[in-house]
Amino acid sequence: MDGVQATRLIKDEFPETAVLVLTENINDAYVIDAIHAGAGGYMFLKDMSPQLLLQSIHRVGEGGTQMTAALLHTAVENLLQNGRKTLAERTAEAAHLTEREVDVLRLMGNGDSNKVIGATLGITLDTTKKHVRNVIDKLQARSRTHAAIIAAQAGIVGSPLKSLATLADQLADLADGRTAAGEST
């Protein structure tokens, strides 16, 4: 069984379990498949510091998303070449989200954890989890990361390419030892 199959089985049996896929292949074609299977992150191990690995584990464990910039580039190329649905189809799917769910989805698109989303919106952690689950279900996504990609494709989180570029910048900041908010860890 490969990592994608393992992720799918884990998420089917234990949907609340966070999965971070680790790879040694920078050109890994499984990035999108792993996200569709429910992985919250996908990281390239070569030259990764133990500190960055630990930060990545914590980020995904808290409900955030994590992906190295190189693997994000692979994922974007894969989406552009083999996208599952058109922008119009994604937008139509997203149209039935409530205003609060769109707010939650925007923050999910930023890679924010449930804790950060709740604090930003002034709602409890339980309410945040309910909204996140509703967003994932309504978008028919397999994970938070998958929902964020759908949001980017649909233009809910800015323009798809701009959102992905922002995410890539945030990931580069993390690689330099800063959090997505620009604070020291």
Side-chain angles (χ1 to χ4, degrees), residues 97 101-109 135 139 147-148 151 156-157:
L97 295 174
E101 289 168 344
V102 171
D103 292 340
V104 169
L105 181 56
R106 283 190 180 115
L107 294 170
M108 287 169 59
V135 166
L139 291 175
I156 293 172
V157 185

Side-chain angles (χ1 to χ4, degrees), residues 2 7 24 34 45 84 86 104 108-109 111 117 120 145 165-166:
D2 64 21
T7 299
E24 293 183 351
L45 285 174
R84 305 283 194 259
T86 66
V104 169
M108 287 169 59
I117 292 170
T120 301
T145 305
T166 300

Side-chain angles (χ1 to χ4, degrees), residues 20-23 25-26 31 41-46 48 52 56 65-75 167-168 171-172 174-175:
L20 175 63
V21 177
L22 305 174
T23 185
N25 183 356
I26 194 70
V31 175
Y42 206 96
M43 300 295 296
F44 178 58
L45 285 174
K46 186 175 183 190
M48 179 186 288
L52 180 57
S56 300
T65 58
Q66 187 70 43
M67 189 178 300
T68 59
L71 287 171
L72 178 62
H73 180 73
T74 299
L167 181 56
L171 291 169
L174 284 173

Side-chain angles (χ1 to χ4, degrees), residues 5-121:
Q5 292 168 323
T7 299
R8 190 171 287 116
L9 287 174
I10 291 166
K11 294 301 282 186
D12 285 346
E13 186 69 25
F14 307 101
E16 297 298 318
T17 300
V19 176
L20 175 63
V21 177
L22 305 174
T23 185
E24 293 183 351
N25 183 356
I26 194 70
N27 296 318
D28 203 336
Y30 293 111
V31 175
I32 297 301
D33 291 337
I35 291 168
H36 281 282
Y42 206 96
M43 300 295 296
F44 178 58
L45 285 174
K46 186 175 183 190
D47 301 328
M48 179 186 288
S49 71
Q51 181 183 10
L52 180 57
L53 177 58
L54 188 59
Q55 288 173 349
S56 300
I57 291 168
H58 284 292
R59 185 174 182 93
V60 171
E62 292 172 356
T65 58
Q66 187 70 43
M67 189 178 300
T68 59
L71 287 171
L72 178 62
H73 180 73
T74 299
V76 171
E77 283 183 4
N78 209 348
L79 278 174
L80 293 175
Q81 292 174 5
N82 306 312
R84 305 283 194 259
K85 296 183 180 177
T86 66
L87 176 59
E89 289 169 324
R90 292 289 189 207
T91 303
E93 287 177 0
H96 64 280
L97 295 174
T98 67
E99 186 175 325
R100 178 59 85 187
E101 289 168 344
V102 171
D103 292 340
V104 169
L105 181 56
R106 283 190 180 115
L107 294 170
M108 287 169 59
N110 292 336
D112 292 342
S113 68
N114 287 345
K115 184 177 177 181
V116 171
I117 292 170
T120 301
L121 298 177

